[in-house]
Amino acid sequence: MASTHWLASQVGMAVLERGGNAFDAAAAAGFTLQIVEPHLNGPGGDCPIILHDAKLGQEMVICGQGPAPAGLTVDHVKNRLGLDLIPGTGFLAAPIPGAFDAWASMLLNHGTWRLREVLAYAISYARNGAHMVPRVCQTIATVKPLFEAEWKSSAAIWLRNGGPQPGGLYANPTLADTYERVVREAEASGRDRDSEIQAARDIWYSGFVAEAIDRFGRTPAVDTSGERHAAVLTGHDMAGWRAGVEAPAFLEFMGTTVLKCGPWSQGPAMLQTLSLLSGFDLAAMDPVGAEFVHHVAEAMKLAFADREAFYGDPNFAEVPLATLLSKAYADERRKLIGHDASLEFRPGNPDGLPIRGVDYAAAVHRSEAMAMAAGTGEPTVSRLGASSGDTCHVDVIDRHGNFVSATPSAGWLQSSPAIPALGFCLGTRCQMFWLDESLPNGLQPGKRPRTTLSPSMVLRDGKPWMSFGTPGGEQQDQWQSIMVSRMLAHGFNIQEAIDLPSFHSEHWVSSFWPRGAKPGKLVLEGRYAPEVLSALQARGHKAEMGGDWTEGRLTGARREADGQIFAGANPRGMQGYAVGR
């Protein structure tokens, strides 16, 4: 069991030790993360899950990425409101909240525990308080003026008695009340475990939770546009949605099968990156040397350019995924990777499809304008709550051989005003849409925004071998590509691969408001040797050195053929935790 917070990991382990399976443990840990990492996820957010059910002998994806509501149209945003981008905070960018149904669906169809047992840990921490990590307090300090002046309902929760202090206990009794009421009403209407969970799903999406969301979102609130906008999300939107189940995308890589979510996520960009890297002798490269960094970074540039040009909800867009993941396509694209760094934005031409709507120059201009306005570049969290997409992750393997890889996110405390009757806020994932419905990731009602959330699973000899993932928005499939490449090419174990210094690129168009791009920018973790930085700069990378222990927040769990289970967690931030026995 591993996660991005020690309490969530211990909760998951407690469930396993009390006889629960991986799905019970992951759900209990996931609900706990909403309390202990409220700046990184919340009940109103999203949650894609990749799982392996040992009884069924099958891997599947539960899509907890909610779609755009019926009223969120290009005409409404662009013509009626006069906006060129969907704001990064506030009500307007809210999709249908997907996290609750993703966890509940997994629990119903694969778990064994009752809803009350699973939610008991989160309710207790919300009621009695959890120790707040320093980053929670730093986030609140950044948006405190916004809360005090505009988002008064958020101030009531997060500035109460001076707000949380680093390492101090802080409670959210309103959220505890919400979950207790869900359990109470579900037990009153349900006859057994399954009917209780089904009743809870109905309560969330058609009962008092949906009603409170509908009612509160009608009052306009300020967002990153600097203007006030109301939500278009309604209770009717919520009532008609449930998390879907689908087959994962996959790629054969160095004797394994890597599984990701579909092209409604950025997950296939990791598969494309690995496909490109399979044509290089990674084992001959120093895993912390300039040659390795250069080849991985250039492969990612090509893969993420295709992400921007061709990915979107396949229920609405024609996504040439088979071609994008084919060996022939990778062989052709790999020819573009040379000795020097490319500063161009270079999508491919899969199946002869035209490249439409990718205005790279405009994205570069937006980044430059933001940097000038802020003085120091785009912050992780801005004064108006804009976030670069940090999140959480959970990995669980149980004694039966069940696997879970889940990446809950959004509904951050800084994303939109807190709903006073519920104790949580809505997500803002719809900021990732373009305001052109003809584009693969163009806004349409009922369509899933092309999310950055990206859990991973790896099979070996057709059997589940490893579950892993990371927070980090754009960096998720960068850090994961680096981790799995080092493990398979160099034989590192999970903890070694997590601990090694990492890096990320900001070359392509960001998924988050204001949708900027920084050509050639490459950030190395501070523990790289200075000569590596110099060598990369000599190749034309706009490389810079970041701080020590700043790149990657990976966790992972692995089950070997002999039944031994191993896990690892990120030491950066002194927050992630792996546990097992």
Side-chain angles (χ1 to χ4, degrees), residues 6 60 87 91 95 119 181 194 212 237 291 301 329 337 383 393 417 428 466 515 527 561 579:
W6 67 89
M60 61 192 76
F91 289 140
L119 275 170
R181 181 176 173 185
D194 289 2
D237 291 312
E291 193 77 6
K301 288 178 185 177
Y329 184 74
I337 301 175
R383 62 181 180 82
H393 188 75
T428 55
M466 183 169 66
R515 311 304 302 274
R527 294 177 293 133
V579 60

Side-chain angles (χ1 to χ4, degrees), residues 68-151:
L72 192 63
T73 63
V74 171
D75 180 66
H76 178 75
V77 179
K78 195 170 186 177
N79 299 326
R80 293 182 58 190
L81 300 179
L83 300 175
D84 293 326
L85 295 171
I86 297 176
T89 60
F91 289 140
L92 191 61
I96 297 170
F100 185 86
D101 203 64
W103 292 124
S105 173
M106 183 182 69
L107 188 63
L108 173 66
N109 295 308
H110 307 280
T112 62
W113 277 26
R114 300 184 90 98
L115 183 66
R116 176 178 291 279
E117 296 174 299
V118 169
L119 275 170
Y121 301 92
I123 291 172
S124 177
Y125 284 121
R127 177 73 61 203
N128 302 311
H131 291 101
M132 294 288 105
V133 296
R135 189 61 196 161
V136 175
C137 308
Q138 294 163 10
T139 299
I140 292 171
T142 301
V143 292
K144 182 179 178 181
L146 173 67
F147 284 8
E148 291 177 328
E150 297 283 350
W151 296 2

Side-chain angles (χ1 to χ4, degrees), residues 499-510:
D499 289 354
L500 284 170
S502 197
F503 57 91
H504 79 271
S505 173
E506 298 178 22
H507 175 78
W508 47 87
V509 182
S510 171

Side-chain angles (χ1 to χ4, degrees), residues 446-466:
K447 187 176 184 178
R448 292 169 287 185
R450 201 269 306 131
T451 182
T452 51
L453 302 179
S454 194
S456 299
M457 192 171 292
V458 182
L459 312 182
R460 184 167 255 174
D461 299 322
K463 298 178 181 178
W465 178 56
M466 183 169 66

